[in-house]
């Protein structure tokens, strides 16, 4: 049965048990400032040499979402310093965007460093990173001492929930622990940006507009 932990706006009381569960490999339903997501502590799986089994917390992300395992899961990190920890050859445009919008609703795609397990990398050897402005996520990343691998808490192709009550019942039932922090402040998915051949490319326009991205890079 899923353990539900309710927290008030900006509150982190009661999250130590959630952090303990995540460090042990649990799958959690978590509120970011954009939408609710399902995810795990990267540190609990970073020593795995291959894709964890379907019964593990990480493996259940894909079965729960009906999502192909080839579609990797973005990481929620502590801040800009993690660009060089988990990325390599990070270009100035990405650094500028992280400086402008982190913590916040921006996901950047960078070349993965050796600290990123092969099964957590995309086919082009990249990883997607974001520093979330959610107090819950910020607390859990610190408490776990590790990034969290988190993707939206919805069946693949369905709308992502912006509140705990909007999450699909089977998604809530399919995780080990769930954090109910009410409605998210942003209510829209993060914007995803990569730099290809020296040019920034918006892979998904979300909470941060294309105009805001262009202005930050001007």
């Amino acid at each position: 049965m899923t353990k539900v932990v309710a927290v008030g706006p900006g509150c982190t009381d009661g999250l130590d048990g959630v952090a303990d569960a995540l460090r042990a490999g649990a799958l959690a339903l978590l509120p970011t400032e954009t939408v609710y997501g399902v995810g795990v502590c990267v540190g609990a799986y970073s020593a795995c040499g291959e894709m964890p089994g379907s019964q593990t917390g990480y493996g259940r992300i894909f079965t729960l979402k009906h999502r192909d395992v080839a579609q990797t899961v973005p990481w929620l990190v502590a801040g800009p310093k993690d660009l060089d920890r988990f990325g390599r050859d990070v270009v100035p445009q990405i650094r500028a965007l992280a400086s402008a919008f982190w913590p916040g609703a921006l996901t950047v795609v960078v070349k993965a460093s050796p600290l990123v397990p092969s099964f957590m990398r995309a086919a082009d050897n990249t990883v997607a990173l974001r520093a979330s402005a959610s107090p819950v996520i910020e607390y859990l990343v610190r408490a776990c001492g590790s990034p969290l691998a988190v993707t939206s808490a919805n069946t693949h192709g369905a709308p992502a929930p912006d509140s705990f009550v909007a999450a699909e019942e089977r998604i809530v039932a399919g995780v080990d622990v769930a954090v109910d922090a009410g409605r998210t402040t942003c209510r829209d998915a993060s914007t995803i940006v990569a730099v290809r051949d020296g040019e920034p490319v918006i892979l998904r326009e979300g909470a941060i507009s294309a105009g805001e991205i262009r202005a930050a890079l001007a």
Side-chain angles (χ1 to χ4, degrees), residues 67-184:
R67 177 175 173 168
D68 192 305
V69 296
Q71 295 180 292
T72 51
V73 180
W75 286 18
L76 300 179
V77 298
K81 68 182 186 299
D82 283 337
L83 284 173
D84 293 310
R85 185 178 180 193
F86 304 113
R88 61 181 179 84
D89 302 328
V90 179
V91 298
Q93 296 100 316
I94 291 295
R95 295 186 190 279
L97 291 174
S99 177
F101 296 111
W102 280 7
L106 173 75
T107 299
V108 296
V109 178
V110 297
K111 295 178 183 178
S113 82
L115 292 178
V116 180
S118 59
F119 63 86
M120 290 186 173
R121 303 179 191 183
D124 60 356
N125 205 36
T126 59
V127 63
L129 306 177
R130 177 163 85 92
S132 171
S134 161
V136 170
I137 298 300
E138 290 181 322
Y139 183 90
L140 291 174
V141 169
R142 289 195 304 269
C144 290
S146 165
L148 307 177
V150 179
T151 183
S152 56
N154 55 293
T155 302
H156 186 59
D162 64 2
S163 67
F164 179 81
V165 296
E168 299 167 63
E169 289 185 7
R170 67 170 201 86
I171 297 285
V172 177
V175 301
D176 303 302
V177 60
V179 178
D180 178 0
R183 199 169 189 184
T184 65

